[in-house]
Amino acid sequence: MLHRWTQPMFSGRKSAEKRREQIETAQEAVREAMQALNAEDLDGARSALSGAPKTHFADVGWKTGLAGAMIDLKSGRRRSGTSKLVAVCSRLDDTSLSKDDKNYLRLYALYRSSEVTKDRKAPVELRELVEDFRFDHTLVDPELRSDFPLRKLDPEAPETASPPPPPPAMS
């Protein structure tokens, strides 16, 4: 039996690798869940998110929480989804995300929560978190913008629109 003071010194490396793998797995699960939600596949989103390992909120726990809130909102559980959005957005300052990323995510939550209300108005708790801020859209992490788009994506629309036809020649 090894005592705690005689264990090999390399156990820190293994736990760091395990943590990194959990973070990557959780990020992939969130990406798949959000893609399924954008395709209106609630069951696919639930199953993708269920594969996400439990991670610390500051690592990517906020991301899984945000995806879980979106699943609740899309499935018609407005109260649950809204309360999860408020919980995630109020704790974003505990993360190492940039100020622009945090504000982008708060705006995303505000937009999504306002879409599901009858009066198209976001809850007061979310509006208070979003009031009086600015962010530079170009400084927001591209992965965040693809996983959590502010505008609804149209799956039939091509990624890049073809240029308009040239004007007719003047004779």
Side-chain angles (χ1 to χ4, degrees):
M1 178 173 126
L2 289 176
H3 293 285
R4 143 176 91 113
W5 56 86
T6 60
Q7 289 179 345
M9 296 178 65
F10 302 108
S11 64
R13 186 179 316 152
K14 287 182 183 179
S15 63
E17 287 175 18
K18 181 179 177 185
R19 182 177 176 203
R20 186 173 40 253
E21 288 173 9
Q22 287 177 332
I23 290 171
E24 289 172 2
T25 303
Q27 286 179 328
E28 184 60 33
V30 168
R31 188 173 300 114
E32 290 174 12
M34 293 307 295
Q35 287 172 352
L37 274 180
N38 288 333
E40 302 294 328
D41 179 14
L42 278 174
D43 293 332
R46 280 189 190 105
S47 66
L49 195 60
S50 69
K54 181 105 170 112
T55 56
H56 190 269
F57 184 83
D59 291 336
V60 289
W62 61 267
K63 209 175 211 184
T64 56
L66 193 57
M70 290 308 305
I71 290 172
D72 282 358
L73 287 177
K74 291 280 186 168
S75 63
R77 298 189 316 230
R78 288 194 314 236
R79 269 197 192 121
S80 172
T82 303
S83 65
K84 285 180 183 180
L85 284 176
V86 170
V88 169
C89 289
S90 63
R91 290 189 60 200
L92 282 175
D93 290 331
D94 297 343
T95 66
S96 63
L97 293 169
S98 72
K99 183 178 179 182
D100 292 316
D101 289 347
K102 292 173 193 174
N103 288 334
Y104 176 87
L105 290 170
R106 288 180 177 129
L107 186 63
Y108 173 82
L110 185 78
Y111 283 1
R112 297 298 86 85
S113 65
S114 66
E115 289 174 352
V116 297
T117 60
K118 293 176 185 170
D119 60 355
R120 308 296 276 172
K121 206 171 185 184
V124 175
E125 302 90 359
L126 277 174
R127 287 187 303 203
E128 288 174 355
L129 290 171
V130 176
E131 273 188 72
D132 295 331
F133 76 85
R134 292 179 175 209
F135 67 94
D136 186 348
H137 195 74
T138 60
L139 296 178
V140 175
D141 183 10
E143 185 177 315
L144 282 181
R145 286 187 297 190
S146 68
D147 288 347
F148 304 102
L150 289 180
R151 284 186 272 165
K152 296 246 181 186
L153 299 177
D154 186 10
E156 284 89 37
E159 286 295 316
T160 57
S162 59
M170 300 278 256
S171 329

